[in-house]
């Protein structure tokens, strides 16, 4: 399965609130009317954010209002979706009504679920965008990231608060990651290694987020020395389901298209 992660920033003259309202109810409604090859579409509305690290500073970049997570069976289904007339004539033009095309982030990923001790549904979600500093190979970085997620899941302070964890791992350079021309302002794929997402219960939400931020700073982190912390960004978000999980490709209408923003 291919998951596209798309960060959007509001156009000039638009408030954060207006952007989110338009994204969910107008643009989202347009997409939901004709979901095409899509398997699912979640909007993540940004509530708060942390950029970079206190020790290393921040390289300005990923300052966004929302992130969309859109799933497809594979890259071929993704390409067919945005070649469809409904996308070209209805969905794509609507992007200009609320998205600043000079500030878009794109990641093509595969998703890996991470086992947690107390799984369940939870309303508080954190998305952490990770950037490698190039000190390790992609394979070594991926293995260390997997170990780090397992460490967090088993951490005595943080682990009991986590209800779900995923890794969205960049597949840039692989065939399924090819972006057709004119897709979301011709923005290139982001160099981020991927995104780790954690869900917490509402009652423990903000305290759990602070615990998470403390844990990733610990000397025992498996990613120590491998991250470019200046380019890192952590977003607290609220999920909005635009198109619910449609299961396998058998459930997908292959005659129509889907939007990607």
């Amino acid at each position: 399965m291919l998951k596209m992660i798309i960060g959007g920033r509001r156009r000039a003259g638009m408030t954060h609130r207006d952007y989110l309202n338009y994204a969910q109810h107008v643009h989202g409604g347009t997409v939901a009317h004709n979901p095409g090859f899509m398997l699912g579409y979640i909007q993540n509305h940004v509530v708060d954010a942390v950029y970079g690290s206190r020790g290393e500073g921040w390289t300005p970049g990923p300052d966004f209002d929302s992130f969309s997570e859109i799933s497809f069976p594979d890259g071929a289904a993704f390409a067919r979706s945005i070649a469809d007339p409904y996308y070209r004539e209805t969905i794509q033009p609507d992007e200009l009504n609320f998205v600043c095309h000079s500030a878009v982030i794109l990641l093509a990923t595969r998703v890996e679920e991470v086992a947690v001790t107390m799984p369940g549904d939870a309303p508080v979600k954190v998305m952490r965008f990770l950037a490698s500093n190039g000190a390790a190979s992609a394979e070594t970085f991926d293995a260390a990231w997997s170990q780090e997620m397992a460490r967090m899941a088993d951490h005595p302070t943080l682990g009991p608060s986590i209800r779900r964890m995923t890794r969205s791992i960049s597949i840039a350079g692989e065939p399924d990651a090819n972006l057709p021309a004119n897709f979301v302002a011709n923005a290139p794929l982001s160099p981020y290694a991927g995104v780790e997402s954690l869900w917490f219960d509402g009652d423990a939400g903000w305290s759990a987020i602070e615990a998470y931020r403390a844990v990733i700073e610990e000397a025992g982190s498996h990613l120590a020395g491998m991250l470019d912390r200046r380019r890192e960004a952590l977003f607290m978000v609220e999920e909005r389901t635009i198109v619910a999980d449609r299961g396998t490709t058998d459930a997908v209408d292959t005659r129509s298209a889907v939007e990607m923003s």
Side-chain angles (χ1 to χ4, degrees), residues 125-145:
K125 180 179 180 181
V126 174
M127 301 176 73
R128 181 190 183 197
F129 286 69
L130 282 77
S132 170
N133 62 11
S137 68
E139 294 77 13
T140 299
F141 184 95
D142 184 67
W145 186 13

Side-chain angles (χ1 to χ4, degrees), residues 189-204:
L189 283 176
S190 165
Y192 281 99
V195 179
E196 65 185 32
S197 299
L198 293 82
W199 286 258
F200 303 103
D201 283 333
D203 292 342

